[in-house]
Amino acid sequence: MREEQAEPARIVILISGSGSNMLAIAESCKKQEMDANVVAVISNRPGVAGIDRAEQLNIETQVVDHTQFSTREEFDVNLIRAIDEHSPDLVILAGFMRILTADFVRRYKGRLLNIHPSLLPKYKGLHTHKRALEADDKEHGVTVHFVSEDLDGGPNIIQAVIPILDDDNESSLQSRVQLQEHIIYPIAVKWFTQGRLSMLKGDAYFDNEPLPENGLQLTS
Ligand code: GRF
């Protein structure tokens, strides 16, 4: 848990693509909706839109290109080096499309968050919108969770639940889920910076109370 501090929380965000979640969090910080600053945005892919968007907000950016390293371990060591230059209180995965080593996850344990476009524990992994449609689910959504060594398996913090409409396809569903992503990620980050969230022995706590398996749910 982050203790109450005089200084704004320092956030480093890792991206691989368009960076719309990064933008939602960075704008929330700029509007002073939370006492935090995005001190760096790091991408594992050069030339992605998220890097341009961060630069437009005058946020420091860096690329640690995974193709330049021969092993996952070597990439992660270099990624850790880049992150730690910014002394972050919180590290945020926002569309970061790399599997991280256990050493990486352990280093930032309890201060590493991810967003996943499904109602975890349902649909870990890829193609979540397609899978929800194929299963004829009535509801779908998105989850912010602490990261553990188990892929998409760390304890849930908050979920947004939306109905699946009769005429939904993968792209319409994805667009509506993304709108929710940009609402719940800044909320979770704000809670963390306020010291309201913690992870203990693999469980998530909010105001010192254990969270249910799904996390807190926002339903629309
Ligand atoms: C989001 O849909 C998120 O749920 C998933 O990757 C996507 C990233 O989008 N993990 P963006 O780069 O934040 O626009």
Side-chain angles (χ1 to χ4, degrees):
M1 188 192 315
R2 182 179 131 86
E3 303 297 329
E4 233 180 294
Q5 289 173 2
E7 294 296 311
R10 298 175 63 80
I11 299 174
V12 169
I13 304 185
L14 307 187
I15 63 167
S16 302
S18 74
S20 67
N21 281 285
M22 175 280 297
L23 196 64
I25 293 163
E27 284 181 338
S28 182
C29 291
K30 296 250 176 209
K31 285 190 228 153
Q32 300 191 320
E33 289 169 352
M34 59 181 108
D35 189 21
N37 291 319
V38 178
V39 292
V41 170
I42 301 174
S43 171
N44 67 308
R45 288 203 186 116
V48 294
I51 288 286
D52 293 340
R53 287 171 135 174
E55 282 172 358
Q56 279 161 21
L57 290 176
N58 295 317
I59 296 171
E60 197 173 327
T61 63
Q62 193 173 344
V63 174
V64 183
D65 182 349
H66 66 276
T67 64
Q68 302 301 307
F69 303 96
S70 48
T71 63
R72 201 176 283 289
E73 286 72 21
E74 204 190 326
F75 168 66
D76 277 11
V77 164
N78 281 275
L79 185 59
I80 287 171
R81 203 169 288 151
I83 294 170
D84 286 355
E85 272 174 30
H86 302 281
S87 313
D89 299 297
L90 176 63
V91 178
I92 291 178
L93 309 179
F96 185 69
M97 302 304 282
R98 295 291 300 168
I99 294 175
L100 295 161
T101 57
D103 279 350
F104 183 100
V105 173
R106 276 197 291 268
R107 181 173 192 88
Y108 302 108
K109 192 173 173 188
R111 54 191 179 110
L112 182 60
L113 303 184
N114 184 41
I115 190 156
H116 182 78
S118 80
L119 298 173
L120 288 172
K122 246 183 161 176
Y123 308 134
K124 297 177 181 182
L126 298 173
H127 310 299
T128 55
H129 311 302
K130 185 162 178 261
R131 287 155 71 196
L133 287 167
E134 283 172 0
D136 213 8
D137 287 353
K138 299 290 164 249
E139 289 181 332
H140 186 45
V142 56
T143 306
V144 175
H145 63 96
F146 279 110
V147 176
S148 72
E149 289 165 44
D150 177 16
L151 183 69
D152 297 329
N156 291 341
I157 295 166
I158 183 169
Q159 293 189 324
V161 185
I162 59 167
I164 295 183
L165 308 176
D166 288 344
D167 58 354
D168 258 332
N169 55 37
E170 211 179 322
S171 136
S172 65
L173 192 53
Q174 178 181 9
S175 304
R176 283 190 299 114
V177 167
Q178 271 232 322
L179 292 177
Q180 299 298 318
E181 295 182 6
H182 303 157
I183 296 170
I184 66 167
Y185 220 170
I187 291 176
V189 173
K190 180 174 179 169
W191 287 343
F192 185 90
T193 63
Q194 290 173 323
R196 302 181 74 182
L197 280 179
S198 55
M199 182 169 79
L200 282 179
K201 294 184 184 161
D203 292 320
Y205 288 78
F206 180 69
D207 288 346
N208 299 316
E209 295 290 331
L211 283 165
E213 189 189 12
N214 287 95
L216 295 165
Q217 284 198 327
L218 292 185
T219 307
S220 57

